[in-house]
Amino acid sequence: MLYKVSAFSALLSLFSVALVKAAEFQVTVGGPGGVIQYNPPFVTANPGDIVTFVFKQKNHTATQSTFADPCTPVPGGFDSGFIPVPDSNVNGPFQEAQFQVTDTNPVWVFCRQANHCQRGMVFAINPGDKFSAFQAAAMGNTTTQTSATPTTSVATSSTSLAVSSVTPPVATSTPSSSSQDHKIIVGGTGILTFQPANITAQPGDTITFEFHQKNHTITQSSFAAPCQMLASTSTSGQVGFDSGFMPVATDATTFPTFTIQVNDTAPIWAYCRQAGHCGQGMVFAANAIESGPNNFEAFEARAKQINGTSSNSTSSTTGKGNGAGAVRLSGTSITLGFVAALFGFMVV
């Protein structure tokens, strides 16, 4: 009789465990006002539990990495992709991505937007007592998560970064299979222009700025403040791209380049931050509207009107390249779920 009772108790216990509903942990990604964090930053979960990433304002990812290399994606690991959410979306609905926990081993996650990982935007499942060390390692990481790592030899090499418009839209266009590169000549002997200065580019296209004589930059700004770096005028933590100064000798036969990738069709505004150049109309735009108050001609006129005031220039004539600034990225705006179950990943 005792044996029968014991066996029954064991079966009842197993049945009760089977009926236990998996827990769900909601993790907020980003947020209004330029929040750069996961909230909460880590959770302790059991096999079968679900972690739901809820994407709030700006443009973030949830991407699997490793403890040893916090800011680098794991080959074959899960990745939500970039999910842009405009500031105007206050009440939702918000896109989500789900991960199902399969064991109690740690899972390390980061945001691969520009420099977000280096600013401590990391997350972990079952980190034990190692989360602080993981975040510290991320903040000490100097690798920027963009489409390529900028080189340091300014005079002879190229840099390649992926960028988007000032404010990521809710939905982005699908990159064309026949993407093209748009070549822009920057400066030249006695020339203070971008040639051409106003272009139309499709998602997936690249724009390559080829720097000629003298010392110029290509620096992202905004329509409202054409001669100021986006980082100094944004109220939401946007950084924007910046080639740094590219000095080119008069007798140069090779020219440094700086490449950006277009991810959507919203306008991109930029200028040269060399002293006085923006005030003389050395500005650039991609996908500016053809007519209306915010067209390219109005942007150029505004730069001349304010005479380059607060152009963030170093007033350098021999300035050394200071490397590429961080940029904002945007990605395909789709809802992705990632479930690392024993039988693989699944999209929901």
Side-chain angles (χ1 to χ4, degrees), residues 41-281:
F42 64 88
V43 298
T44 299
N46 295 313
D49 289 351
I50 301 292
V51 178
T52 300
F53 296 91
V54 182
F55 290 83
K56 295 292 182 75
Q57 287 80 3
K58 299 307 177 189
N59 194 7
H60 304 284
T61 79
T63 305
Q64 188 174 8
S65 65
T66 63
F67 181 85
D69 201 354
C71 299
T72 300
V74 171
F78 65 76
D79 182 13
S80 67
F82 287 95
I83 300 182
V85 179
D87 290 337
S88 58
N89 184 2
V90 177
N91 298 318
F94 299 108
Q95 296 181 63
E96 299 177 352
Q98 290 187 325
F99 176 80
Q100 185 171 25
V101 180
T102 60
D103 53 42
T104 58
N105 293 326
V107 177
W108 309 103
V109 179
F110 76 107
C111 175
R112 61 183 175 89
Q113 175 66 274
N115 61 351
H116 288 192
C117 182
Q118 291 79 5
R119 295 171 68 178
M121 190 171 181
V122 293
F123 172 81
I125 302 171
N126 297 329
D129 60 356
K130 295 183 178 180
F131 180 79
S132 295
F134 174 63
Q135 188 174 50
M139 297 177 73
N141 190 307
T142 58
T143 302
T144 300
Q145 294 303 319
T146 53
S147 62
T149 302
T151 59
T152 56
S153 178
V154 174
T156 59
S157 62
S158 303
T159 54
S160 180
L161 300 173
V163 303
S164 74
S165 57
V166 172
T167 303
V170 174
T172 57
S173 303
T174 303
S176 170
S177 58
S178 58
S179 59
Q180 68 177 102
D181 181 68
H182 304 264
K183 183 178 179 179
I184 311 297
I185 302 300
V186 184
T189 303
I191 299 174
L192 299 181
T193 60
F194 296 95
Q195 298 178 318
N198 182 26
I199 68 168
T200 299
Q202 300 301 318
D205 287 359
T206 55
I207 306 174
T208 297
F209 298 90
E210 183 177 284
F211 292 81
H212 284 224
Q213 286 75 10
K214 300 303 180 183
N215 192 10
H216 304 285
T217 78
I218 179 69
T219 305
Q220 191 172 6
S221 63
S222 65
F223 181 87
C227 299
Q228 297 185 57
M229 298 176 70
L230 184 60
S232 66
T233 61
S234 173
T235 59
S236 56
Q238 294 171 301
V239 179
F241 59 82
D242 178 24
S243 66
F245 283 97
M246 298 281 198
V248 178
T250 303
D251 58 352
T253 57
T254 59
F255 306 100
T257 61
F258 180 81
T259 300
I260 63 176
Q261 184 174 7
V262 179
N263 287 340
D264 53 53
T265 57
I268 297 172
W269 309 102
Y271 71 107
C272 174
R273 61 183 176 91
Q274 180 63 272
H277 289 192
C278 184
Q280 295 183 61

